[in-house]
Amino acid sequence: LRELLLKRRAEILHALCSGGSVEHLERVIDMLLAQGELGWEDCQNVLVPGRALYSNARQLLDLVYTKGADSCELFFNAVKQVLPEALGDTFFLSGCHSTLDYKEKPQRTSTEELLTQRPDLVLKLQGCIDGALRVLVESGHFSPTDCDGIQLPIYTPSQQARRLLDHVRSKGESASLVVLQYVQQSLESESSLEQTNPKFVKYQKKLRSSVSAQSRFLSTYGGTSHMPLDDIYTEVQMELPNNSADNYKSMGFEEIIGPVGSVNDDADTVLASGEAGSGKSTWLQRLHLLWSQGKALQDFLLLFPFSCRRLNSEQRDLSVQELLFQHCCWPDRGQEEIFQFILDHPHLVLFTFDGLDELKQSFADEHRICCPSQRAPVDVLLFNLIQGSLMKGVRKVVTSRPEAVGPALKKHLHKEIHLKGFSLSGIDCFVRKHHSDPNEAAKVLESLQANTALLGLCHSPVLCWIVSQCHKELLGCGEGSLQTITDVYLMILQHFFQHHSTVKSAMGVNWLQENLGTVLHLGQLAFEGISNSSYIFSVTDMETCGVTESDICMGFLIQSKDMSLANSKCCEFLHITLQCFLAALFAILSRNTGCSAISKLFELQEMKKKRLRGTCFGACLNSTNIPNIVKEHSTMAETPNLQITATFVSGLLSQRYQKLWIQCSSSVLVEKKTKQAEKCLSKGMQQHFRSIPQPVQGEKKSMHAMPEFVWLIKCIYEMQNSRLAKDAMSKLEAEHLKLTYCNIGPVECTALAYVLQHLKNPVGIQLDNNSVGDVGVEQLLPCMHICNSLYLRNNNITDEGIHKLIDKVIHLQNFQKIALFNNRLTDACTKHFSYLLKTRQNFLSLRLGNNNITAEGAKQLAEGLKFNRSLQYLGLWGNKIGNEGAEALANALENSESIVWLSLVGNGVGSAGACAMSNIIRNSTSLEELWLTENCITRTGVESLTQALKHNHHVKSVWLKNNDLTSAEIEEMQQTDSRLVF
């Protein structure tokens, strides 16, 4: 057996480590632990955090080999159970047992049971971690801190189960017994259900199997490589809008559907919103997969998944029962019985609706239905399910782009989460998962690091997928050659044509001309679909647009999974953004589309006001070329998709691509379309500028930009037209640009910098409550010379982003104010701000509230403040500087002649810190307001502040609400000085 282990070592290693997941290795170790063949010290030596998976696996093989033949046999049997098909039957000796015979120990303790039953317990617990933790907390064995340590998002459900078991063992016999009893009760509950309602249990198993089959492989982007979702899935950033303290946290599905962040406890619908390509569908697919595997949301016995795109094809009126059973999973028997169970137990049922924005009808609140047996159009059923008129108590999870979610829908939401795409670490993780060759992945990541504009694009999961898919083309590009979204989509277009070319060599300059027929056929199908909110196409639709079988084989179209059209062969595009891109290509290259088609893409506000229908695009085409999808439907085209298409049109009409179009279309027509697009963009910008109100007397002239303004900026950037950018900015007369809540990420920052750098005069730029991040900060640097104040509250910025920002603005005399509330800053950033304060004697305002700055950070800032003679506003509320930090700041500011406003709210400052602050009051000739609320100051500290106020009549107020004072003390102190505010 030892010789066999050596002989097949490489094969075993590959089997244990395939896919890059540690799960197989950990399951084998579980079994060896249960057998008593490995001890805890052995496990710690094998599973070393941070060490490569292959290295850990080699360590296990070495350990088993050293322990001898018996250990080898147990190891082989464990591998056979974990990976029954990976190595083949011939690999195992006939003398080896097919299953592990766990050693019998009479009257085991509960702690021993946890060990011997470990493999089974891991499987049973990973679907109900929340429930197990709840009973442990209720029984007093676990604290909330214990729970947080187990549920860290970096751990998979099975790893969380193992950590729970390990932690329970350390708590002793009583805690172990609680867990064993909880698992037993859960099993008995399942067994009871199976005995009382066998038809339901059979249906549940069928539904799980169906959901699992639909979710197992990556379906987004067509699942082109049949990649298991478990192997490629990467967490996206999430934001709870009403929970600012925990923005951008990773959340488990139980937490998302649970009470955290709830805005309406009576509502049942959770909305996950995000821009196109932000990973909504893949995130929801992950939810489906984990439920079907028993690893998440096991409080819900049934899960019914729906695609709004496919529900569009349903023309019949349906009841809720027909909707569930015909579109999700048909019960073999007992339909009425099963549906009655659903009606009787709504809290055990979960509905998911993917892509609400793709539903042809806008959300309406007029047509109410309360009876689940009443038939109605599918959109009416869906709206009543979401608002709770139908199936009250059933939890619903809906994904949508933000633009489709209006006030009428929001009032029916239990909560809303925003999906913000990949973090920098997420990009790294996704690229490494996508490439099995580590060297190849490293080259792609190196290329991204060298091109920050492209790195910014990769925060969008769909763009990160394109870049990973086209890695050969990417690595063949010159440095910096990919700058815009249009560049990336042209790259994937070329990649698809190259992939299906019979000549496997570099494509020549005529590659588009050689494939023009396919581009025009698919482009017309995409164009007409976008104009009519159509995303699924019948054979007739495709034939009318000239789409051939060879066009379909290119890979841009995939077969639709539309269950309501089971007898017809329907197709859809790989991704909605790819449909928009091909539609834009058609708008430019087709001789049947004139300049009016370009105009209508950019006249979106006017279209909304007049409620023009999607057929307005048909008027721009020769009537003989209009396919059935235009004639049969009259729904209004969706603004977001038209905007994406217009963005691509702008990029494709860039001067850089004019030579590409000359061979494929009339150069005169392309030139006319270019001028028309420029005219529309210029007109759109001027309309925004004219809407700027006159400033209130004494205030700066401010422009509060709407998201559509950001879209126009992106179009100008995609066009790479500096003349147009200069002309637009020459007409902007404002001193402050407010761009809050505009979904601005790194991509938008790149575009903003490209255009705003041409402003004539310095402005304040307010980007609060967006998704700028560190990459976005770096992308903004080219326009910092025209920025006098920068507001970046709640933008997921870290010390690294601050480092790059300060390096840039340290030499810019215009830059005088910065606000960075509610980011992810630590003490490491304070050395950069200290340097700024030392260097710049005209810097006015520094606000760093609600970050993670401690006394050490405050000391760093104090070093800079000692040399600064200009700072007027310093805000550090919501940090952790304590007395020590307050004393350091007081020593630096006690003789300040510039500080006007100082806030140390909620910093754990006590009376020692308050006494230090008294020195500033006593000596400063400029201080007007001092904020010390939400601290732990006692009577001693307040008395010191009161004595200092006697020597300073310039101070207007000292705020002391919510400190360690009794009601009697507060009443007494208020009499001593009216400037003390309690």
Side-chain angles (χ1 to χ4, degrees):
L1 287 174
R2 298 178 78 198
E3 287 71 20
L4 181 62
L5 185 65
L6 287 176
K7 182 180 178 182
R8 308 300 289 274
R9 182 182 175 91
E11 196 175 349
I12 297 170
L13 283 171
H14 177 73
L16 287 173
C17 303
S18 59
S21 171
V22 73
E23 179 64 19
H24 295 149
L25 180 64
E26 289 185 338
R27 286 183 62 191
V28 169
I29 290 172
D30 285 343
M31 292 180 176
L32 295 176
L33 272 171
Q35 281 285 293
E37 199 59 38
L38 292 184
W40 292 109
E41 189 174 342
D42 293 329
C43 290
Q44 290 171 356
N45 291 333
V46 171
L47 296 174
V48 178
R51 191 167 67 183
L53 175 58
Y54 270 91
S55 298
N56 286 341
R58 290 188 189 98
Q59 181 69 24
L60 176 62
L61 266 62
D62 292 343
L63 184 61
V64 168
Y65 180 83
T66 304
K67 285 180 177 283
D70 289 343
S71 289
C72 292
E73 181 176 2
L74 289 169
F75 171 76
F76 287 145
N77 285 325
V79 172
K80 187 170 184 179
Q81 285 199 47
V82 173
L83 299 159
E85 299 175 2
L87 302 175
D89 291 337
T90 57
F91 176 81
F92 298 97
L93 295 181
S94 58
C96 290
H97 300 295
S98 60
T99 58
L100 291 176
D101 298 324
Y102 295 114
K103 298 173 183 177
E104 290 293 331
K105 282 188 180 180
Q107 297 182 339
R108 294 190 192 100
T109 65
S110 297
T111 309
E112 290 170 339
E113 287 285 357
L114 284 189
L115 185 59
T116 57
Q117 295 185 32
R118 185 180 178 89
D120 290 335
L121 287 171
V122 168
L123 291 173
K124 292 168 184 174
L125 280 169
Q126 58 186 311
C128 52
I129 294 289
D130 282 336
L133 290 175
R134 185 174 62 251
V135 297
L136 284 165
V137 170
E138 289 172 355
S139 62
H141 293 98
F142 269 29
S143 68
T145 304
D146 294 327
C147 298
D148 291 342
I150 287 166
Q151 289 188 298
L152 287 172
I154 58 172
Y155 299 123
T156 64
S158 60
Q159 287 174 326
Q160 290 182 4
R162 291 185 183 96
R163 286 180 64 83
L164 185 147
L165 291 173
D166 295 344
H167 205 51
V168 166
R169 287 184 73 253
S170 70
K171 296 283 186 178
E173 186 70 10
S174 177
S176 301
L177 181 60
V178 167
V179 169
L180 290 171
Q181 289 174 341
Y182 171 77
V183 172
Q184 183 62 33
Q185 288 167 4
S186 299
L187 291 174
E188 288 173 357
S189 176
E190 290 179 16
S191 176
S192 173
L193 181 62
E194 191 161 0
Q195 291 172 8
T196 57
N197 200 333
K199 291 178 184 176
F200 174 83
V201 173
K202 186 176 181 180
Y203 178 70
Q204 183 192 40
K205 290 178 179 177
K206 182 179 180 181
L207 180 61
R208 279 190 190 274
S209 177
S210 173
V211 173
S212 176
Q214 294 175 40
S215 310
R216 190 173 297 128
F217 294 99
L218 182 68
S219 62
T220 318
Y221 328 132
T224 47
S225 57
H226 297 288
M227 188 174 288
L229 185 64
D230 278 333
D231 291 348
I232 192 64
Y233 182 76
T234 304
E235 292 286 351
V236 292
Q237 298 177 100
M238 295 179 190
E239 179 188 21
L240 274 171
N242 298 291
N243 193 28
S244 59
D246 289 312
N247 281 332
Y248 299 98
K249 64 180 288 189
S250 294
M251 292 180 282
F253 290 111
E254 279 84 1
E255 189 175 1
I256 288 166
I257 293 177
V260 177
S262 170
V263 294
N264 182 355
D265 291 335
D266 293 329
D268 304 316
T269 300
V270 175
L271 173 69
S273 65
E275 299 298 331
S278 61
K280 301 182 296 295
S281 295
T282 306
W283 173 82
L284 196 61
Q285 186 186 345
R286 177 68 170 171
L287 181 154
H288 296 160
L289 181 62
L290 291 179
W291 176 82
S292 69
Q293 293 173 338
K295 296 180 179 178
L297 299 173
Q298 294 309 287
D299 289 341
F300 298 102
L301 300 184
L302 299 176
L303 184 152
F304 294 94
F306 297 95
S307 163
C308 293
R309 173 180 291 194
R310 297 181 184 102
L311 289 177
N312 277 330
S313 304
E314 182 58 79
Q315 303 299 315
R316 302 168 296 166
D317 286 2
L318 298 176
S319 67
V320 174
Q321 181 174 340
E322 290 166 336
L323 178 71
L324 297 182
F325 293 163
Q326 293 180 21
H327 277 268
C328 289
C329 181
W330 182 263
D332 296 324
R333 55 182 175 173
Q335 290 95 335
E336 296 299 329
E337 205 175 318
I338 292 168
F339 188 62
Q340 189 59 49
F341 182 92
I342 293 171
L343 294 178
D344 293 341
H345 305 88
H347 60 287
L348 301 179
V349 182
L350 176 65
F351 295 167
T352 67
F353 297 95
D354 188 27
L356 183 68
D357 53 287
E358 294 187 349
L359 206 65
K360 288 183 179 179
Q361 293 78 13
S362 298
F363 181 84
D365 207 6
E366 295 87 21
H367 191 175
R368 290 294 178 96
I369 297 176
C370 301
C371 178
S373 61
Q374 181 180 345
R375 286 190 173 94
V378 168
D379 61 290
V380 175
L381 283 183
L382 174 54
F383 298 153
N384 278 272
L385 286 169
I386 289 174
Q387 69 192 11
S389 299
L390 270 176
M391 308 296 286
K392 181 67 178 173
V394 171
R395 186 70 81 195
K396 280 81 65 174
V397 177
V398 179
T399 68
S400 175
R401 277 183 270 180
E403 298 87 352
V405 184
L409 172 59
K410 285 201 172 187
K411 68 182 181 182
H412 298 296
L413 295 181
H414 175 67
K415 76 169 74 167
E416 179 179 4
I417 59 168
H418 295 166
L419 272 63
K420 296 291 186 176
F422 289 150
S423 62
L424 280 174
S425 61
I427 294 172
D428 185 284
C429 179
F430 181 86
V431 170
R432 293 187 188 280
K433 285 184 174 182
H434 195 276
H435 297 279
S436 55
D437 182 353
N439 292 327
E440 196 173 77
K443 288 178 182 178
V444 173
L445 290 168
E446 185 179 341
S447 180
L448 291 178
Q449 292 295 337
N451 183 345
T452 53
L454 185 58
L455 181 62
L457 292 174
C458 285
H459 283 269
S460 167
V462 68
L463 293 175
C464 196
W465 171 77
I466 290 175
V467 168
S468 296
Q469 192 79 0
C470 305
H471 61 278
K472 291 181 181 176
E473 290 85 348
L474 172 68
L475 297 174
C477 290
E479 185 175 332
S481 59
L482 293 177
Q483 295 291 318
T484 68
I485 297 175
T486 308
D487 294 339
V488 174
Y489 277 79
L490 270 173
M491 180 175 69
I492 197 170
L493 187 71
Q494 191 170 356
H495 168 83
F496 271 71
F497 287 136
Q498 171 69 34
H499 186 69
H500 290 88
S501 173
T502 53
V503 181
K504 299 298 181 183
S505 59
M507 300 190 77
V509 292
N510 298 324
W511 67 271
L512 184 60
Q513 186 179 20
E514 293 166 1
N515 296 280
L516 185 59
T518 296
V519 170
L520 289 175
H521 298 156
L522 295 174
Q524 183 173 349
L525 187 70
F527 185 84
E528 301 302 341
I530 291 296
S531 67
N532 290 278
S533 302
S534 293
Y535 310 105
I536 296 178
F537 307 98
S538 67
V539 172
T540 304
D541 295 332
M542 291 185 280
E543 286 177 350
T544 306
C545 292
V547 177
T548 65
E549 193 65 35
S550 62
D551 295 335
I552 296 174
C553 290
M554 283 291 173
F556 300 106
L557 287 170
I558 57 169
Q559 190 164 347
S560 174
K561 300 174 183 176
D562 192 347
M563 295 176 68
S564 64
L565 300 174
N567 297 323
S568 60
K569 192 176 181 180
C570 296
C571 287
E572 58 188 298
F573 285 93
L574 276 177
H575 194 268
I576 183 60
T577 53
L578 186 60
Q579 183 175 345
C580 293
F581 176 70
L582 288 166
L585 271 173
F586 179 77
I588 291 168
L589 295 177
S590 174
R591 297 174 186 272
N592 293 319
T593 57
C595 291
S596 56
I598 303 298
S599 298
K600 291 189 184 299
L601 281 169
F602 291 94
E603 293 175 358
L604 298 177
Q605 284 300 323
E606 187 176 344
M607 284 176 62
K608 281 184 194 173
K609 291 174 185 175
K610 296 181 179 179
R611 295 196 64 79
L612 293 179
R613 298 297 178 179
T615 47
C616 66
F617 284 94
C620 306
L621 292 169
N622 184 310
S623 61
T624 60
N625 292 323
I626 303 174
N628 292 337
I629 50 177
V630 174
K631 297 176 181 176
E632 291 176 1
H633 305 298
S634 60
T635 52
M636 189 172 73
E638 291 178 8
T639 296
N641 291 337
L642 292 176
Q643 286 187 336
I644 295 172
T645 305
T647 305
F648 282 130
V649 165
S650 303
L652 293 169
L653 290 174
S654 168
Q655 196 64 37
R656 298 174 299 156
Y657 294 127
Q658 294 299 314
K659 291 181 181 179
L660 196 60
W661 314 138
I662 288 174
Q663 302 165 337
C664 304
S665 185
S666 163
S667 59
V668 175
L669 184 57
V670 172
E671 182 62 29
K672 285 183 178 179
K673 291 177 180 177
T674 303
K675 290 182 178 178
Q676 186 64 37
E678 291 177 353
K679 181 180 176 182
C680 290
L681 289 171
S682 180
K683 181 181 176 182
M685 295 294 282
Q686 289 177 40
Q687 285 177 343
H688 274 278
F689 297 158
R690 282 198 294 270
S691 69
I692 301 174
Q694 290 300 314
V696 177
Q697 187 173 3
E699 293 185 3
K700 293 181 178 180
K701 189 173 184 180
S702 176
M703 185 190 84
H704 192 159
M706 296 293 105
E708 193 163 299
F709 172 76
V710 179
W711 163 65
L712 290 169
I713 293 279
K714 287 173 69 175
C715 289
I716 294 173
Y717 172 72
E718 288 290 319
M719 193 174 273
Q720 292 287 286
N721 190 325
S722 58
R723 177 189 54 77
L724 185 60
K726 288 178 184 177
D727 181 63
M729 291 300 99
S730 68
K731 297 179 175 64
L732 176 59
E733 295 180 359
E735 298 171 272
H736 187 86
L737 300 181
K738 192 173 183 180
L739 294 138
T740 57
Y741 294 103
C742 285
N743 290 314
I744 293 174
V747 175
E748 290 74 21
C749 289
T750 306
L752 282 169
Y754 179 83
V755 176
L756 295 182
Q757 65 180 321
H758 299 293
L759 280 166
K760 296 181 295 183
N761 300 309
V763 296
I765 301 176
Q766 189 169 351
L767 292 166
D768 298 337
N769 299 295
N770 285 294
S771 309
V772 172
D774 292 345
V775 175
V777 168
E778 189 169 1
Q779 294 305 101
L780 287 171
L781 297 183
C783 72
M784 283 298 100
H785 65 281
I786 55 85
C787 177
N788 54 33
S789 53
L790 183 61
Y791 302 85
L792 289 167
R793 301 172 177 89
N794 189 24
N795 267 289
N796 202 30
I797 296 166
T798 73
D799 303 325
E800 183 61 29
I802 296 304
H803 184 188
K804 293 174 180 176
L805 177 64
I806 300 301
D807 279 355
K808 176 71 176 181
V809 302
I810 196 80
H811 306 296
L812 303 176
Q813 293 302 310
N814 284 328
F815 191 84
Q816 295 182 319
K817 298 178 182 178
I818 190 167
L820 289 157
F821 305 166
N822 200 35
N823 281 286
R824 294 167 56 201
L825 307 182
T826 70
D827 293 336
C829 77
T830 56
K831 64 179 180 181
H832 307 299
F833 286 117
S834 182
Y835 179 54
L836 176 72
L837 293 169
K838 285 180 183 178
T839 308
R840 292 279 307 284
Q841 294 304 318
N842 67 339
F843 195 76
L844 301 177
S845 178
L846 176 62
R847 300 173 190 256
L848 302 173
N850 203 23
N851 281 285
N852 296 295
I853 296 169
T854 70
E856 292 305 312
K859 290 176 185 177
Q860 283 274 9
L861 288 174
E863 290 303 310
L865 289 169
K866 289 176 182 177
F867 298 93
N868 185 273
R869 300 292 178 266
S870 62
L871 191 73
Q872 296 177 357
Y873 300 90
L874 178 60
L876 289 168
W877 60 269
N879 284 286
K880 304 165 188 173
I881 70 167
N883 283 327
E884 199 176 345
E887 289 168 351
L889 293 173
N891 290 335
L893 291 170
E894 63 179 346
N895 294 309
S896 172
E897 297 179 359
S898 63
I899 195 72
V900 173
W901 182 91
L902 174 61
S903 173
L904 299 180
V905 172
N907 264 282
V909 176
S911 291
C915 291
M917 288 290 118
S918 301
N919 292 329
I920 304 179
I921 295 175
R922 185 175 284 103
N923 299 321
S924 174
T925 58
S926 56
L927 184 67
E928 294 181 1
E929 286 193 64
L930 175 61
W931 286 76
L932 294 170
T933 58
E934 305 285 348
N935 281 294
C936 44
I937 300 169
T938 63
R939 182 187 185 101
T940 303
V942 177
E943 287 176 344
S944 179
L945 293 167
T946 305
Q947 289 299 317
L949 284 170
K950 293 178 180 179
H951 301 279
N952 189 325
H953 301 291
H954 298 289
V955 174
K956 296 178 179 178
S957 55
V958 177
W959 294 78
L960 290 162
K961 289 182 179 179
N962 297 327
N963 277 280
D964 287 351
L965 300 166
T966 66
S967 299
E969 287 174 331
I970 291 173
E971 189 174 348
E972 180 187 342
M973 299 290 182
Q974 283 175 330
Q975 307 302 318
T976 58
D977 196 309
S978 61
R979 291 175 292 175
L980 295 175
V981 183
F982 295 97

